[in-house]
Structure formats: C-alpha cells, structure tokens
C-alpha cells in the first residue's frame, strides 16, 4: 500500500526480544537484561519481552514455587533496569502471586508495562487460559496453576503509540483485538510461548489477521527453543504493520529485531480503508461496554 511516510529516522524505534526461558530465574534475568541493554544502545524507546520471560518451569508445582508478587525482588530488578536504560518495558507474562494467593494458591499470567522511570503504568492479567490438547505437542493445562483475569486494560500511551495489552492464546479471540482497537489502540501486543505444532500452522497467519482486522501494528515477542526436557517453543518473534506486512522478524535462537512505528501510515490506512465506520452492530451486536 503506497502512502506518504515520515522520514524513517524520525519514527519511534521498538525492539522485540526473543529468549529461551528455563527454570533458572537468575540466568533468565541476565539474558533479558542483556537484550534490553542492547535495545537501549540501538535507540529503542520500548522493548518487548515474551510471555514467561521470568521462567518456564517443569511442572505446575514448580511454577507456583518460583512465582512472585508484583512488588517482589524480580520486578524491582526490571524497574531498575528500565530506569538505568531509560527505556519502556513490556514484560509479557509475569507469573504473579496476586492478593488472593493465600486463598487460591494459584497465580496470574500478568503482562506488566513499565515506563522509562521504572514505574508500573499498566498490568493486564491474561483472560483466556490455554487448556488444550494438540496431537504431537502434548497437553497444556494453564488453569492448573493460573487464574483468569477479569478485565481488559485500556490502551496506554507510550512513546511508540497507544499500546493494547494481551498475551499469547488471546490472539485466537478477535473480539479482544477489536475491542482494544475501538478503545484507541495503535499497537497490539501478543507476547507468547507458542508450541512447535501450532506455531508453523497458526502463528504468523493469526498475527497478520489481527493486524489487518484491527488496523493496528502487532508486536509479538516469543519464546524459542527447548526450555527443559518436556517443553519447547516455536520462536519467530515479529512485528506486523496495519497492512498485514511482516516488517521485522527474529532469526533462530535468542536475540532481538527492530522496527519503526509509523503512526502516519496507520492513520492514512484507516482513512483509505475505514472499516470501523462500516461495522454493523445492528446485525451482529457490539463488543460490550467501552473500556474505561
């Protein structure tokens, strides 16, 4: 799609980080911190880390044992990292012990957004839990250790644009992306740990579909490789523009990719193809109450 664009160096730069988390939280932080430092050195204003950036455990019991509250040691280390680097951080899926931990003995899969002063500006608890059985990939029962979130988070203004928060399995529910877009999102985030069977079949096509239908940038930081004896992830972290074009993609293994966010391109595309003005809620209903 040919539209006029700003000079590329004027556009905000984002970094998408790809890692292979293990049960070793100390090593995981070291890996993530190195990528964040590199992102800041390259001039990114916002770095995206994948779901389970903190750890991927061997079983539900170990997941619960390794989890922490949001005011715990690990989140404080990430707050300090954001401050020292002067960069915003999308922490795509933190194993959070919530205020109801003592009663439920379950955690939340929490997407935390930190600003460049290290302050928590948004937190979204994953609403769609991945309880599936895929032949060849092994069963996934996220609800064994995790409680579903109850609300969506309104899009948050960042130096790269208004960011809507989601996590992994949420991408299979287009209602969520449309709801966030209608609330003003310009960037949708799907930090993930996609499986080795569903990845080749569904990963890219779902991300591109979410970008096209919502007319948003889609940023998907992903886990990759083998985490331990019984778990591996697909990788292929990417950024998709509102036209559905993959504009950045990580290579195999841990690392990062960079993309510039062109909100002028986004606005012109929405003007040329005004699908949100053409919706027919009289025929198929609306998406509920506005996000506040």
């Amino acid at each position: 799609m040919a539209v006029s664009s700003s000079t590329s160096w004027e556009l905000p730069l984002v970094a998408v980080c790809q890692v292979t988390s293990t049960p070793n939280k100390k090593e995981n932080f070291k890996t993530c911190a190195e990528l964040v430092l590199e992102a800041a050195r390259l001039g990114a204003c916002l770095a995206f880390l994948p779901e389970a950036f903190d750890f991927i455990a061997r079983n539900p019991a170990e997941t619960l044992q390794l989890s922490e509250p949001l005011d715990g040691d690990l989140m404080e280390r990430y707050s300090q990292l954001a401050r020292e680097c002067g960069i915003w951080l999308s922490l795509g899926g933190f194993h959070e012990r919530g205020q109801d931990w003592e009663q439920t003995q379950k955690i939340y899969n929490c997407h935390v957004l930190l600003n460049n002063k290290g302050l928590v500006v948004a937190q979204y608890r994953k609403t769609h839990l991945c309880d599936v059985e895929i032949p060849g990939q092994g069963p996934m029962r996220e609800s064994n250790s995790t409680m579903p979130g109850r609300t969506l988070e309104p899009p948050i203004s960042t130096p790269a644009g208004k960011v809507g928060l989601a996590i992994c399995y949420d991408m299979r529910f287009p209602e969520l992306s449309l709801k966030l877009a209608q609330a003003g999102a310009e960037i949708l985030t799907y930090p993930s740990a996609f499986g080795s069977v569903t990845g080749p079949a569904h990963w890219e096509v779902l991300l591109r579909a979410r970008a096209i239908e919502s007319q948003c940038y889609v940023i998907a930081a992903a886990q990759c490789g083998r985490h331990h004896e019984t778990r591996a992830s697909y990788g292929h972290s990417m950024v998709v523009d509102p036209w559905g074009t993959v504009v950045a993609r990580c290579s195999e293994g841990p690392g990062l990719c960079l993309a510039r966010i062109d909100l002028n391109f986004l606005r012109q595309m929405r003007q040329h193809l005004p699908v949100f003005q053409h919706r027919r809620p009289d025929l198929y209903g609306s998406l509920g109450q506005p996000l506040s």
Side-chain angles (χ1 to χ4, degrees), residues 8 13 15 44 47 50 54 81-82 134 137 140 142 158 160 185 223 248 265 285 288:
S8 64
L13 186 70
D54 50 352
L81 181 66
I134 307 295
Q137 192 169 284
M140 171 72 76
E142 191 172 11
T158 77
Q223 293 281 345
F265 170 75

Side-chain angles (χ1 to χ4, degrees), residues 33-55:
E34 288 172 353
L35 290 174
V36 169
L37 285 164
E38 177 70 0
R41 186 187 70 79
L42 293 169
C45 63
L46 207 163
F48 295 81
L49 292 173
E51 181 180 32
F53 67 94
D54 50 352
F55 64 86

Side-chain angles (χ1 to χ4, degrees), residues 162-286:
K162 287 189 175 180
V163 173
L165 304 181
I167 302 173
C168 197
Y169 191 57
D170 286 333
M171 76 176 68
R172 295 187 180 275
F173 302 90
E175 298 89 346
L176 188 152
S177 64
L178 293 172
K179 182 86 170 179
L180 291 172
Q182 287 180 337
E186 297 162 324
I187 300 167
L188 300 177
T189 56
Y190 293 103
S192 298
F194 240 60
S196 55
V197 174
T198 53
H202 297 161
W203 172 251
E204 181 174 323
V205 70
L206 281 171
L207 295 172
R208 294 179 70 187
R210 297 296 82 85
I212 293 166
E213 73 196 0
S214 67
Q215 298 183 317
C216 289
Y217 279 88
V218 163
I219 297 178
Q223 293 281 345
C224 69
R226 182 153 294 281
H227 310 289
H228 48 70
E229 303 81 13
T230 59
R231 178 111 183 247
S233 292
Y234 178 62
H236 294 76
S237 302
M238 64 179 63
V239 180
V240 186
D241 75 13
W243 188 246
T245 303
V246 178
V247 294
R249 189 194 306 261
C250 282
S251 56
E252 296 296 320
L256 57 79
C257 62
L258 300 169
R260 295 201 178 270
I261 303 299
D262 188 345
L263 296 182
N264 184 52
F265 170 75
L266 178 148
R267 295 183 191 109
Q268 290 187 53
M269 209 206 71
R270 289 181 176 182
Q271 183 179 0
H272 295 157
L273 219 172
V275 292
F276 280 91
Q277 297 176 32
H278 299 156
R279 302 192 74 80
R280 291 290 306 274
D282 58 311
L283 298 180
Y284 39 73
S286 63

Side-chain angles (χ1 to χ4, degrees), residues 96-176:
E96 179 211 357
R97 290 189 184 184
Q99 293 183 346
D100 54 2
W101 163 253
E102 294 296 334
Q103 293 77 39
T104 66
Q105 291 295 294
K106 288 190 175 184
I107 59 173
Y108 293 95
N109 189 341
C110 186
H111 187 162
V112 181
L113 188 64
L114 301 178
N115 66 15
N116 58 353
K117 300 184 188 308
L119 301 175
V120 175
V121 294
Q123 52 187 297
Y124 161 75
R125 291 167 164 177
K126 189 178 182 183
T127 49
H128 302 98
L129 299 185
C130 190
D131 287 358
V132 301
E133 293 190 30
I134 307 295
Q137 192 169 284
M140 171 72 76
R141 288 282 179 271
E142 191 172 11
S143 65
N144 283 348
S145 59
T146 306
M147 299 279 287
R150 297 178 180 176
T151 60
L152 302 182
E153 180 72 17
I156 304 299
S157 293
T158 77
K162 287 189 175 180
V163 173
L165 304 181
I167 302 173
C168 197
Y169 191 57
D170 286 333
M171 76 176 68
R172 295 187 180 275
F173 302 90
E175 298 89 346
L176 188 152

